[in-house]
Amino acid sequence: MPEPEPLPNPLLVKSIWARMLAPEHLHRVQAEISERFVPAGSYAWRKGESVDQWMGVVEGFLKMSSVSPEGKTVTFSCMLPGGWFGEGSLLKTEPRKYDVVALRDTRVACMPRATFNWLLDNSIPFNRFLLSQLNERLGLFISLVEYDRMLDTDTRVARCLAALLNPYLNPGGGLQLQISQEEIGYIASVSRQRANQALQVLEKKKLLTVDYGGITILDLQGLRVFPEERKA
């Protein structure tokens, strides 16, 4: 089988599933994906809306969350460039169960439901990718319940940062994250001040360094198991 042609869309270059597609499938996807811009602080999609697209982050940072009637915000996940989301709602054809908010200016790629379903019917590699992605997302959500109910704040911040670098859910993420302390607070459901304190603890443990406008991960596995000490 001939090699796929180069991927002009920067998101597709970062997307694991796109690199798996046969050339004819890739051509159709490229022709039918559209793009939209979401300003920082704006809703990309709202809870309760009908779902007719599969979405991927081209550039920026999105938060998937829900607000209770009492005003408490629960953050389920955050999406970095290369990450795709919304497949569960598409597969179940149900209204969206969460809000999607841009934490900074963000460009989002949108795949129509018809294209998504066509790939399901015609591409075995795409189906295998979705199985793996759904499994990874299930594991993430189970972990989030544990983080919220059983872990102290420093540990929760460590694990949430590690989750951002999941190679399936956020394949475009590198060890240098351009992320603010306020955004880290959103992810871990803590204040910016408390996030700052946790980052100082993690920096002293040599798990990361706090840089201007972001952080650099020094020990990803250490973040995943914190507060356990890594063996030399």
Side-chain angles (χ1 to χ4, degrees):
M1 185 177 70
E3 291 293 321
E5 295 180 8
L7 305 175
N9 186 310
L11 176 61
L12 295 182
V13 173
K14 298 175 182 176
S15 300
I16 297 172
W17 61 268
R19 299 195 295 269
M20 298 176 173
L21 296 183
E24 63 272 20
H25 297 161
L26 180 60
H27 283 305
R28 174 164 175 173
V29 167
Q30 290 176 156
E32 297 181 0
I33 281 181
S34 61
E35 189 177 301
R36 60 178 293 197
F37 173 76
V38 186
S42 300
Y43 285 91
W45 289 272
R46 287 182 177 270
K47 181 178 180 179
E49 292 178 339
S50 60
V51 180
D52 54 9
Q53 296 171 322
W54 193 40
M55 291 78 64
V57 182
V58 180
E59 182 181 88
F61 196 10
L62 292 178
K63 178 181 72 166
M64 182 191 299
S65 62
S66 184
V67 181
S68 72
E70 295 76 27
K72 181 181 179 180
T73 299
V74 177
T75 298
F76 301 120
S77 182
C78 288
M79 284 71 68
L80 296 170
W84 287 78
F85 63 98
E87 61 277 353
S89 298
L90 268 180
L91 291 168
K92 292 184 287 186
T93 63
E94 65 179 16
R96 194 173 306 284
K97 299 293 187 182
Y98 48 83
D99 295 315
V100 181
V101 180
L103 296 181
R104 64 180 73 145
D105 287 352
T106 301
R107 291 162 51 216
V108 185
C110 304
M111 179 187 291
R113 176 188 292 277
T115 309
F116 180 86
N117 287 336
W118 180 81
L119 283 175
L120 285 178
D121 292 338
N122 293 278
S123 176
I124 292 176
F126 185 72
N127 280 271
R128 288 174 175 162
F129 168 83
L130 276 184
L131 283 173
S132 296
Q133 170 135 317
L134 288 167
N135 187 47
E136 291 288 339
R137 204 178 298 285
L138 175 61
L140 172 64
F141 290 158
I142 290 173
S143 297
L144 289 175
V145 174
E146 176 191 22
Y147 299 168
D148 187 57
R149 298 183 181 181
M150 299 177 63
L151 303 183
D152 62 78
T153 301
D154 295 340
T155 306
R156 190 158 75 245
V157 170
R159 303 288 177 85
C160 287
L161 286 173
L164 278 180
L165 300 181
N166 182 294
Y168 247 87
L169 302 180
N170 284 316
L175 294 180
Q176 290 183 314
L177 293 173
Q178 298 303 309
I179 184 172
S180 70
Q181 294 181 12
E182 184 176 19
E183 289 168 340
I184 293 171
Y186 285 137
I187 296 169
S189 299
V190 299
S191 68
R192 184 193 64 79
Q193 293 80 3
R194 188 61 186 86
N196 176 269
Q197 294 173 14
L199 290 174
Q200 291 180 36
V201 171
L202 300 175
E203 190 169 35
K204 289 178 180 177
K205 293 289 185 179
K206 302 187 184 305
L207 300 177
L208 55 79
T209 59
V210 179
D211 310 314
Y212 179 76
I215 62 172
T216 299
I217 306 299
L218 302 178
D219 186 349
L220 179 56
Q221 184 58 27
L223 285 178
R224 288 172 174 158
V225 302
F226 180 85
E228 297 177 12
E229 295 288 344
R230 295 292 308 280
K231 295 182 179 179

